[in-house]
């Protein structure tokens, strides 16, 4: 009898949390902390730098599962690869024709990233002994639009979503690179300054996968490629949420992002609050 009561109490807690997560409108705020591994490669300068630093961020989402969702994410690292890193995104999706088999999705967003590097002479062994200063300011601005269909499968107690999609994005890169070279002997100090100004348009192809168990365990995976005739980039991200109570859930995020001059990899953990 006691084991039955314990089981009944546990089941009631599970159903209570599930009822909260099944609410029509979902509002979520989640602070994150973790690590970022930044790799910067510049073949023309013979540079190949990689470092891991502390990363913190804040994620906010507001969603109606049959009509729309928007989310915003901002993150920052103060010391990785001799750099300060700021990044974030805003995404808005509108749903159409929602039914038992799925729904159409039309949306867009913007991603921004700024890297402010001041390495001084600390990377000299990796380039040239005479290097006495190196600074780089690099800003990426990436708006995009997309369209797809989300197929939904409901083999109880699971809800599985599969969404292939396509789109187009603009990628603007702006920045400044400065070098100071102090050669041995009587030769004077040499300063080099270069501006970064690049605009590209890419086609997009992606696949989003999601799964919910009792609306208590949530898994999401996303992969997409950006491509044109000159270059292509890959982005992979994943998220896992585990509901603890009707209002709180543990959350983990992973992201791999290819950039024009390297890659970023994030691992972040947080406590989500739902209301």
């Amino acid at each position: 009898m006691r084991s039955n009561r314990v089981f009944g109490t546990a089941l009631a807690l599970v159903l209570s949390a599930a009822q909260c997560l099944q609410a029509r409108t979902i509002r979520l705020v989640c602070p994150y902390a973790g690590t970022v591994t930044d790799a910067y490669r510049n073949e023309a300068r013979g540079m190949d730098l990689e470092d891991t630093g502390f990363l913190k961020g804040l994620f906010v989402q507001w969603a109606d599962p049959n009509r729309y969702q928007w989310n915003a994410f901002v993150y920052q690292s103060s010391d990785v690869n001799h750099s300060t890193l700021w990044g974030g995104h805003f995404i808005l999706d509108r749903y159409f024709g929602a039914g038992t088999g799925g729904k159409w999705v039309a949306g867009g967003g913007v991603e921004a990233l700024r890297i402010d590097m001041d390495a001084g002479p600390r990377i000299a062994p990796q380039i040239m002994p005479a290097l006495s200063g190196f600074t780089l300011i690099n800003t990426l601005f990436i708006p995009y639009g997309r369209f797809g269909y989300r197929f939904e499968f409901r083999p109880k107690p699971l809800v599985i979503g599969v969404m292939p999609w396509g789109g187009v994005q603009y990628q603007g890169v702006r920045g400044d690179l400065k070098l100071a070279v102090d050669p041995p002997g009587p030769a004077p100090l040499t300063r080099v300054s270069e501006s970064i100004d690049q605009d590209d348009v890419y086609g997009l192809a992606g696949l989003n996968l999601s799964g919910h168990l009792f609306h208590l365990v949530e898994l999401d995976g996303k992969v997409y490629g950006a491509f044109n005739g000159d270059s292509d980039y890959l982005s992979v991200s994943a998220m896992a949420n585990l509901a603890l109570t009707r209002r709180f859930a543990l959350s983990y995020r992973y992201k791999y992002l290819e950039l024009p001059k390297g890659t970023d990899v994030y691992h972040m953990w947080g406590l989500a609050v739902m209301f």
Side-chain angles (χ1 to χ4, degrees):
M1 290 293 293
R2 179 172 180 174
S3 62
N4 289 340
R5 288 196 300 269
V6 172
F7 176 78
T9 301
L11 180 61
L13 290 173
V14 167
L15 294 178
S16 176
Q19 183 180 12
C20 174
L21 292 178
Q22 286 176 326
R24 182 173 178 81
T25 301
I26 301 169
R27 307 175 189 87
L28 183 148
V29 177
C30 185
Y32 283 96
T35 63
V36 55
T37 299
D38 176 72
Y40 176 78
R41 299 178 181 89
N42 189 327
E43 295 181 0
R45 297 290 178 183
M47 297 178 60
D48 190 353
L49 307 176
E50 185 172 321
D51 189 26
T52 299
F54 177 68
L55 183 72
K56 58 270 192 187
L58 180 67
F59 177 80
V60 178
Q61 184 178 38
W62 192 306
D64 180 327
N66 292 324
R67 298 172 57 204
Y68 67 88
Q69 78 86 27
W70 66 262
N71 69 78
F73 187 37
V74 61
Y75 53 88
Q76 192 267 349
S77 179
S78 297
D79 186 12
V80 56
N81 244 353
H82 315 298
S83 306
T84 298
L85 181 150
W86 280 93
H89 75 237
F90 177 82
I91 299 173
L92 173 64
D93 290 316
R94 183 73 169 87
Y95 306 138
F96 302 92
T100 57
K103 54 197 173 188
W104 293 99
V105 180
V110 59
E111 186 152 4
L113 181 67
R114 178 182 173 90
I115 300 173
D116 192 342
M117 179 185 292
D118 186 357
R122 290 171 289 180
I123 56 175
Q126 296 160 297
I127 305 177
M128 58 185 75
L131 185 70
S132 62
F134 179 88
T135 62
L136 169 68
I137 297 176
N138 204 17
T139 302
L140 284 80
F141 178 70
I142 309 172
Y144 65 91
R146 66 181 181 181
F147 186 78
Y149 188 83
R150 175 183 163 89
F151 298 91
E152 294 185 352
F153 308 93
R154 300 176 181 272
K156 293 184 178 180
L158 292 172
V159 177
I160 299 172
V162 179
M163 190 181 92
W165 59 271
V168 62
Q169 81 173 23
Y170 159 81
Q171 180 173 282
V173 184
R174 301 290 185 271
D176 293 289
L177 184 152
K178 295 181 180 180
L179 299 175
V181 180
D182 188 9
L189 179 70
T190 301
R191 298 186 183 276
V192 178
S193 180
E194 297 178 1
S195 295
I196 302 170
D197 189 348
Q198 184 175 348
D199 299 280
D200 293 288
V201 176
Y202 294 87
L204 300 175
L207 180 66
N208 296 2
L209 303 173
S210 65
H212 299 78
L213 175 63
F214 287 122
H215 288 265
L216 294 175
V217 177
E218 178 184 6
L219 301 174
D220 280 293
K222 302 176 183 179
V223 58
Y224 76 86
F227 50 88
N228 62 18
D230 299 321
S231 57
D232 56 83
Y233 301 100
L234 179 69
S235 175
V236 180
S237 59
M239 180 185 69
N241 292 333
L242 174 63
L244 301 176
T245 69
R246 296 180 63 179
R247 290 188 175 274
F248 298 98
L250 293 176
S251 184
Y252 165 76
R253 283 182 176 270
Y254 165 86
K255 187 168 186 176
Y256 168 83
L257 179 65
E258 292 184 347
L259 304 168
K261 292 294 184 180
T263 60
D264 279 340
V265 180
Y266 314 137
H267 295 276
M268 307 185 76
W269 296 263
L271 181 66
V273 181
M274 293 159 283
F275 56 93

